[in-house]
């Protein structure tokens, strides 16, 4: 009989979590009430039932619907205290799930009009991150993410901003939204600025579109990590390239199923990536909308892909190694992983 340990006690790093998407459902309902925002029914249904709304983001209309839900949630974050609360609660949730290091991803543009501009917004976020990290003990940093639906010049502005705060909590630069729009190469200058400034390159790719979008992230954006990247599983040569280069895929199984990238949890190619030696960091993406947080992703690996405790521990190590955590934090988390395995299972 395989020994089974509590995955929420397995030390790990969380590298794929979006800002608004990290919100607790109850918090969103409270903020909507506070500001008199009428949330779409699909969203309130999901929040009260705990089940993710049915979204088929594999077509553009489905993705658009998903973005609309996301926008309505985002519109409830209006004051610095809302930002502080969101960040603190994200850290608390991660702590419960065994995360010792959290990199939260944000495009400050969306919040800037209400918070006094891009710079004040990023400063409010970084300040909240520092406080939450101190209070919870979860190490926390920020990835600034550009939106590929916007102009590449906007991405460059964000990259310069991100670099300016590289020693104050920003560790990476991302690119999100619909992979079917624009080319990765349109954003190469922004990523060049970010890389030159010492930031990790962590664009989304290989979620809504196939292996070619992952190749573009490698070739054009010099990616250190890929947001999702799961569709690389369709191309063995690409898998080998990711494995050889040690590029980590931030795989979010519950999100993939909620957005219709895969039909069922067992269809997410966790085994394929793992066996090919592609490092992974499991992530929750947008728990607000998808109904499950970090530890639940490891539970999916265990229940639907028969990962043993030794293999789950290896996944946790991969997440830690791919993080921007200082070596000393990494060492502590990796030792914690060994301790977890050394414990007798209950
Ligand atoms: Zn994402």
């Amino acid at each position: 009989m395989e020994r089974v340990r509590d995955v929420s006690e397995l030390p790990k790093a969380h590298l794929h979590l979006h800002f608004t998407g990290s919100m607790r459902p109850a918090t969103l309902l409270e903020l909507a009430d506070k500001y008199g925002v009428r949330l779409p029914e699909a969203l309130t249904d999901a929040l009260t039932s705990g089940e993710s709304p049915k979204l088929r983001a594999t077509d553009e209309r489905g993705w658009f619907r998903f973005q609309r839900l996301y926008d309505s949630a985002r519109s409830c974050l209006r004051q610095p205290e809302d930002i502080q609360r969101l960040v603190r609660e994200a850290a608390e949730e991660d702590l419960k799930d065994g995360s010792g290091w959290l990199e939260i991803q944000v495009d400050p543009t969306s919040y800037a009009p209400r918070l006094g501009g891009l710079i004040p917004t990023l400063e409010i976020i970084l300040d909240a991150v520092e406080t939450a990290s101190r209070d919870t003990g979860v190490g926390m940093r920020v990835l600034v993410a550009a939106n590929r639906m916007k102009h590449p010049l906007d991405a460059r502005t964000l990259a310069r901003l991100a670099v300016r705060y590289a020693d104050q909590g920003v560790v990476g630069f991302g690119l999100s939204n619909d992979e079917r729009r624009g080319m990765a190469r349109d954003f190469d200058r922004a990523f060049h600025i970010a890389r030159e400034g010492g930031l990790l390159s962590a664009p989304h790719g290989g979620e809504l579109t196939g292996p070619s979008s992952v190749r573009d992230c490698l070739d054009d954006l010099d990616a250190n990590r890929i947001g999702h990247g799961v569709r690389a599983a369709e191309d063995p040569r690409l898998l080998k390239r990711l494995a050889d280069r040690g590029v980590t895929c931030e795989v979010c199984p519950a999100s993939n199923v909620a957005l219709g990238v895969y039909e069922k949890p067992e269809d997410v190619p966790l085994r394929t990536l793992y066996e090919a030696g592609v490092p992974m960091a499991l992530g929750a993406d947008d728990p607000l909308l998808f109904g499950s947080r970090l530890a639940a992703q490891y539970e999916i690996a265990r229940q639907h892909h028969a990962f043993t405790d030794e293999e789950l521990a290896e996944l946790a190590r991969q997440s830690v190694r791919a993080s921007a955590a200082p070596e000393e934090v990494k060492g502590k988390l990796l030792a914690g992983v060994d301790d977890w395995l050394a414990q007798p299972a209950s």
Side-chain angles (χ1 to χ4, degrees):
M1 181 70 192
E2 190 63 51
R3 304 208 301 177
V4 168
R5 297 166 183 83
D6 185 347
V7 287
S8 67
E9 288 170 8
L10 170 63
K12 53 182 92 62
H14 195 181
L15 311 183
H16 200 105
L17 182 70
H18 293 277
F19 199 74
T20 296
S22 76
M23 217 187 317
R24 285 179 184 154
T27 300
L28 176 57
L29 292 172
E30 269 185 56
L31 291 177
D33 193 47
K34 174 176 162 187
Y35 296 119
V37 172
R38 261 193 77 146
L39 297 171
E41 212 169 297
L43 187 54
T44 46
D45 285 354
L47 298 180
T48 45
S49 71
E51 275 180 37
S52 71
K54 290 283 156 280
L55 296 156
R56 291 289 113 179
T58 43
D59 64 68
E60 291 201 35
R61 275 187 51 208
W63 180 260
F64 182 73
R65 275 193 61 217
F66 165 60
Q67 289 299 321
R68 286 289 302 276
L69 294 184
Y70 202 88
D71 287 344
S72 69
R74 191 152 40 204
S75 75
C76 295
L77 293 163
R78 298 188 180 189
Q79 294 175 345
E81 64 192 58
D82 307 332
I83 303 291
Q84 285 149 9
R85 177 178 179 181
L86 176 138
V87 171
R88 187 185 66 244
E89 292 179 353
E92 287 170 359
E93 291 293 340
D94 251 53
L95 182 66
K96 270 198 277 183
D97 277 11
S99 163
W101 183 264
L102 168 60
E103 293 174 16
I104 198 163
Q105 185 159 156
V106 66
D107 175 359
T109 317
S110 337
Y111 312 93
R114 291 202 168 95
L115 294 168
L118 272 182
I119 291 173
T121 302
L122 187 57
E123 288 188 350
I124 290 165
I125 292 168
L126 290 172
D127 189 56
V129 160
E130 199 187 318
T131 305
S133 186
R134 197 172 51 232
D135 292 350
T136 59
V138 176
M140 217 176 157
R141 296 291 188 274
V142 170
L143 299 176
V144 170
N147 183 346
R148 63 188 296 156
M149 307 287 274
K150 297 209 173 126
H151 198 278
L153 280 175
D154 294 329
R156 266 189 248 176
T157 304
L158 280 177
R160 281 192 204 96
L161 178 71
V163 166
R164 214 170 122 184
Y165 288 88
D167 57 353
Q168 293 166 67
V170 177
V171 292
F173 193 66
L175 183 65
S176 55
N177 216 321
D178 197 337
E179 286 165 25
R180 290 161 295 216
R181 299 294 194 88
M183 305 292 291
R185 129 168 43 92
D186 297 338
F187 300 93
D188 59 353
R189 296 275 299 276
F191 275 81
H192 184 75
I193 292 166
R195 291 296 306 266
E196 287 283 295
L199 301 179
L200 285 169
S201 161
H204 282 61
E207 177 195 18
L208 305 171
T209 55
S212 65
S213 64
V214 176
R215 274 193 295 270
D216 289 347
C217 289
L218 297 176
D219 294 337
D220 299 330
L221 308 179
D222 203 7
N224 304 99
R225 301 197 315 231
I226 309 275
H228 296 284
V230 275
R231 304 281 301 277
E234 295 158 27
D235 180 347
R237 281 179 54 199
L238 178 58
L239 286 175
K240 185 168 185 314
R241 195 172 162 204
L242 291 166
D244 289 348
R245 274 216 211 175
V247 172
T248 297
C249 290
E250 304 157 4
V251 177
C252 308
S255 159
N256 289 162
V257 176
L259 290 176
V261 176
Y262 298 103
E263 196 63 40
K264 303 184 296 295
E266 52 269 40
D267 299 335
V268 181
L270 288 182
R271 273 283 161 206
T272 308
L273 270 74
Y274 189 79
E275 302 302 339
V278 177
M280 278 184 276
L282 299 188
D285 209 7
D286 299 299
L288 172 71
L289 295 168
F290 306 143
S292 74
R293 305 199 79 99
L294 181 59
Q297 313 309 315
Y298 287 78
E299 229 14 280
I300 289 174
R302 172 184 269 165
Q303 286 182 11
H304 297 278
H305 300 273
F307 275 66
T308 63
D309 284 4
E310 284 72 17
E311 289 171 329
L312 293 171
E314 182 52 26
L315 284 181
R317 288 188 197 104
Q318 291 176 357
S319 73
V320 171
R321 290 189 201 114
S323 75
E327 287 309 318
E328 142 201 24
V329 173
K330 285 185 182 173
K332 247 176 75 184
L333 289 172
L334 293 172
V337 172
D338 292 340
D339 292 345
W340 181 80
L341 263 186
Q343 269 172 42
S346 49

